[in-house]
Structure formats: structure tokens, C-alpha cells
Amino acid sequence: MTTEPAEDELVTVFTRADLGGDGRLDLMEFGLVLDSVGLSWSRAETQDRFERADTDHDGFISLSELRALLASQTWDVPA
Ligand SMILES: [Ca+2]
């Protein structure tokens, strides 16, 4: 038993939130991810986490950046 989410679950969450379908998440889409995995952060926290997670500073969250962020969080895959 592991608390680490399976890769396909992460992809599911990412894809659901990627409304633009461009393979990366903007701040609004990032907020959708947080909602969908049960992480309720304030607007300011969300902005802060977004900037921290955006390790290549391109203004978007990639799948690998999301993976790194969620690896340090407890989250639930939506039913
Ligand atoms: Ca990025």
C-alpha cells in the first residue's frame, strides 16, 4: 500500500483540467486540478503554489511539474 498516486490517475486529473487541451495548465486550470483532488487552498495560496510549481518559469504547469507538486501533497483522485 502506497500513498503515492498512480501515474494514470495523475494523467486523468491533468487531462480533465486541461481545458485548452494544450498539455499545460494555466492558473485557472491549475485551480480546477486543486478542486478536483480535494485540495482547498485560498486564492493567494493557489497563486503561490502555482509559481513554486512552475519550475521552468514558463507561466504554465506541465504534467511533470504537477507530478512534482502533488508528490508532496495528500490528495484524492476524484470518483
Ligand atoms: Ca512550467
Side-chain angles (χ1 to χ4, degrees):
M1 188 75 184
T2 174
T3 56
E4 196 159 316
E7 177 69 15
D8 61 339
E9 294 172 333
L10 183 67
V11 171
T12 296
V13 167
F14 186 92
T15 303
R16 280 186 192 172
D18 181 21
L19 301 180
D22 56 0
R24 56 189 192 174
L25 306 180
D26 61 23
L27 181 58
M28 188 273 286
E29 292 168 341
F30 181 66
L32 294 178
V33 167
L34 300 184
D35 286 346
S36 72
V37 299
L39 291 172
S40 54
W41 290 335
S42 71
R43 192 183 186 89
E45 282 175 321
T46 299
Q47 175 85 47
D48 183 64
R49 300 302 177 105
F50 183 91
E51 291 172 1
R52 287 169 190 257
D54 182 20
T55 50
D56 64 359
H57 306 292
D58 66 349
F60 296 93
I61 301 303
S62 65
L63 181 59
S64 64
E65 287 170 342
L66 182 67
R67 181 188 301 120
L69 174 73
L70 292 183
S72 64
Q73 304 293 328
T74 300
W75 59 285
D76 296 312
V77 176

